[in-house]
Amino acid sequence: QEGSLCAQHCLNNLLQGEYFSPVELSSIAQQLDEEERMRMAEGGVSSEEYRTFLQQPSVNMDDSGFFSIQVISNALKVWGLELILFNSPEYQRLGIDPINEKSFICNYKEHWFTVRKLGKQWFNLNSLLMGPELISDTYLALFLAQLQQEGYSIFVVKGDLPDCEADQLLQMIRVQQMQRPKLIGEEAAQSRDQRLPRSDLDQAIEVNHPFDGTGMLDEDEENFQRALALSRQEIDMEDEEADLRRAIQLSMQGSRRSELSGSLPQNVPQMSRSGQTDSLSSEELRRRRQAYFEK
């Protein structure tokens, strides 16, 4: 993203091309300002309301590069596209599954970004990210619900989007994303954090970080990730214990110790607690356990 031109990036990411420049959006904003001025002038150019209006800054753009929803809406009208508020009672009554839409425009305070379906997959095209972020179909509704909870306004884009190369390509193939794109400036922050010692649990949380589209975790989500990391560690420990039991059973059945380093059979019958297990001393069990982990 360049400066605060998120509205421009939002539109161009939606349309998948350099269709709008800051100059063009500024022209739309100035046109809207002039239409509002003319409506205010109908009440009399000498009125207190009109003089106050002239003294106020534009609500459609500012010097930082911010543009209003009216500017974005008017820009999309050129392409025959319309914006409908996603969480409005009228739209909610339709009961449309978000996965059946084509794209969304999201806004919080002065930031705009696009979520769009390309081919058969959804992508978060937030210009604050270093690249597009894949959103699974099952996560889309949760992602939008999370944005609403955080105070975002979400607009459904209605109409036929222009053809683009990405959409044509992804109709034929599916994308797999192994690592979520970083936020702008996140890499520098991570390099600073890497200079600090981290616990094994913190590293496990980082490995299990969900690709949730926001790039940020609140306190509840962070606690959830800690619990998830711990549960996965417990599962791994249980798997190791199961492997150990299978290894001991094989060794008691006369298998060579070298076989333990290869792949163990997945369906070894469980031995009863009686019989050979009872005849093994604690020292023998300890020795075989140590040999297993060394393998």
Side-chain angles (χ1 to χ4, degrees), residues 57-87:
S58 171
V59 297
N60 293 303
M61 67 176 180
D62 60 26
D63 294 337
S64 71
F66 170 77
F67 295 99
S68 68
I69 180 62
Q70 289 81 8
V71 174
I72 292 178
S73 179
N74 278 31
L76 291 177
K77 286 180 180 178
V78 177
W79 294 92
L81 300 171
E82 180 186 3
L83 294 180
I84 300 176
L85 190 62
F86 175 64
N87 54 356

Side-chain angles (χ1 to χ4, degrees), residues 229-245:
L230 286 173
S231 67
R232 288 181 177 174
Q233 288 177 351
E234 291 172 358
I235 292 173
D236 291 341
M237 291 176 62
E238 291 174 359
D239 290 342
E240 290 177 359
E241 290 294 330
D243 289 341
L244 177 60
R245 286 194 298 270

Side-chain angles (χ1 to χ4, degrees), residues 114-134:
T114 290
V115 177
R116 174 174 171 172
K117 192 172 191 177
L118 292 166
K120 298 182 174 85
Q121 295 175 282
W122 284 92
F123 295 87
N124 175 13
L125 304 180
N126 193 334
S127 56
L128 292 180
L129 295 172
M130 300 299 291
E133 180 177 31
L134 181 64

Side-chain angles (χ1 to χ4, degrees), residues 75-122:
L76 291 177
K77 286 180 180 178
V78 177
W79 294 92
L81 300 171
E82 180 186 3
L83 294 180
I84 300 176
L85 190 62
F86 175 64
N87 54 356
S88 64
E90 293 78 13
Y91 183 81
Q92 293 295 328
R93 278 198 295 267
L94 297 176
I96 301 176
D97 191 333
I99 200 173
N100 294 325
E101 301 292 356
K102 298 178 181 177
S103 56
F104 301 92
I105 286 180
C106 309
N107 168 254
Y108 181 68
K109 294 184 177 179
E110 296 186 353
H111 182 60
W112 298 93
F113 69 91
T114 290
V115 177
R116 174 174 171 172
K117 192 172 191 177
L118 292 166
K120 298 182 174 85
Q121 295 175 282
W122 284 92

Side-chain angles (χ1 to χ4, degrees), residues 1-6 9 64 128:
Q1 175 170 312
E2 298 177 3
S4 298
L5 297 173
C6 55
H9 301 310
S64 71
L128 292 180

